[in-house]
Amino acid sequence: RTAFTHFTAGETFEGARAVAAKLEKCGIQCIVDHNSEEKEEPEYWDLNLGNKLELIERASREIPSVAGFPLKLTALTSPALLETMTAAIQERDVEGATIEDIDPLPALSEAERELVEASLERLGRLCSKARELGKRVYLDAEQSHRQPAIHYFARRLISEHNPGQAVVYDTFQMYL
């Protein structure tokens, strides 16, 4: 039994595919993901990328109603990096500036900037695959102390992968 039956379709791909087929009969599209996040090891991010690319390909083939795929950035990049970037954005915040105006890269170390670029490469591969298959990627909102950095990544990915067709979406979570 799952905690949120209205959000989950099962614990296996086959279970999700069966639920998606029922929903498709009602004209409902779905998003599919296997959640993985919150590690600080680059080999884990690479493993997650491979798993997510495989999921995108399989779901696109086997679940006609799949609209896209949610993605927590912490599955493919460092949670600590997101927090460092958010702090840099908040420190550089000036009167009248929006988050979109603030570039955190100048405040990062060379190693952190290299990590940002490696993260963008991983994320870009996933977005390119989604575009190739006509699917969307929803960058899932995370903890508020990481959100400004997530929006930075979203802007970079949107500018690269959305010309002519929206593939990458930045999201906001609001709970009542």
Side-chain angles (χ1 to χ4, degrees):
R1 182 137 169 88
T2 59
F4 301 103
T5 56
H6 59 287
F7 287 125
T8 58
E11 296 181 12
T12 66
F13 184 87
E14 291 72 22
R17 183 176 52 210
V19 171
K22 290 178 188 176
L23 294 172
E24 184 178 16
K25 291 177 184 176
C26 300
I28 299 171
Q29 291 185 308
C30 61
I31 57 174
V32 179
D33 191 23
H34 58 83
N35 199 7
S36 54
E37 58 183 295
E38 295 292 331
K39 299 279 186 182
E40 287 293 343
E41 298 89 24
E43 58 276 358
Y44 179 80
W45 308 324
D46 292 336
L47 176 66
N48 280 343
L49 173 62
N51 289 339
K52 289 186 179 293
L53 289 169
E54 183 179 307
L55 176 66
I56 288 173
E57 290 176 356
R58 184 175 182 196
S60 295
R61 268 191 328 269
E62 297 181 29
I63 304 176
S65 64
V66 71
F69 304 89
L71 173 66
K72 287 207 175 279
L73 265 65
T74 53
L76 300 181
T77 194
S78 164
L81 175 67
L82 295 175
E83 292 167 18
T84 299
M85 291 175 68
T86 293
I89 290 167
Q90 290 170 338
E91 287 171 12
R92 296 173 59 96
D93 193 7
V94 294
E95 184 78 28
T98 65
I99 283 182
E100 290 78 21
D101 298 326
I102 301 170
D103 181 357
L105 296 184
L108 302 181
S109 70
E110 182 63 31
E112 290 165 333
R113 286 192 297 275
E114 289 173 7
L115 189 52
V116 168
E117 291 309 314
S119 300
L120 284 165
E121 192 277 326
R122 271 191 297 279
L123 293 161
R125 286 183 55 201
L126 189 120
C127 294
S128 292
K129 179 56 71 176
R131 182 180 193 81
E132 172 189 321
L133 297 171
K135 303 301 177 186
R136 300 177 196 117
V137 175
Y138 303 98
L139 301 179
D140 201 353
E142 298 196 34
Q143 292 91 349
S144 60
H145 61 281
R146 297 178 180 154
Q147 249 356 92
I150 291 170
H151 296 314
Y152 171 82
F153 277 102
R155 286 192 313 280
R156 294 274 308 262
L157 294 166
I158 286 168
S159 70
E160 181 177 341
H161 295 280
N162 282 15
Q165 173 190 355
V167 173
V168 180
Y169 291 78
D170 197 0
T171 66
F172 298 85
Q173 292 182 0
M174 294 177 256
Y175 296 97
L176 301 177

